[in-house]
Amino acid sequence: MTTTANTTSDGFHWLGLAAAPTFTFMAMVSLFDGSQASICGSGPDPSPLGSMTTMYLLMALFHLAPWLKFARRR
């Protein structure tokens, strides 16, 4: 029974580590995408803080905590 609990917590640990690289990849894709289609921006010249690239970079930054904990343990 403890094996299942350890396996589940290990799975959640690795899931937490997957978030930051995924958001970083999505930021790079949206940065180099030629269409620059924005879901949030309705005007012809939206603010740079309203772009999808900025949103993905902020999400990656907010999800760095598991990586910092992982690096501190090593």
Side-chain angles (χ1 to χ4, degrees), residues 13 17 65-74:
H13 171 71
L17 289 175
W67 279 101
L68 297 175
K69 289 178 187 176
F70 182 70
R72 188 176 54 202
R73 280 189 230 143
R74 297 259 169 189

Side-chain angles (χ1 to χ4, degrees), residues 20-39:
T22 301
F23 284 122
T24 304
F25 173 74
M26 291 168 66
M28 291 298 128
V29 168
S30 67
L31 178 66
F32 295 116
D33 183 23
S35 68
Q36 292 296 321
S38 177
I39 295 171

Side-chain angles (χ1 to χ4, degrees), residues 1-2 10 15 20 22 29 32 36 41 43-45 48 50 59 63-66:
M1 195 156 166
T2 59
D10 288 343
L15 183 62
T22 301
V29 168
F32 295 116
Q36 292 296 321
D45 190 19
M59 293 291 285
H63 286 87
L64 277 180

Side-chain angles (χ1 to χ4, degrees), residues 23 26-27 40 48-60 62:
F23 284 122
M26 291 168 66
C40 302
L49 294 176
S51 72
M52 295 301 284
T53 302
T54 305
M55 190 260 321
Y56 287 135
L57 288 175
L58 286 173
M59 293 291 285
F62 292 146

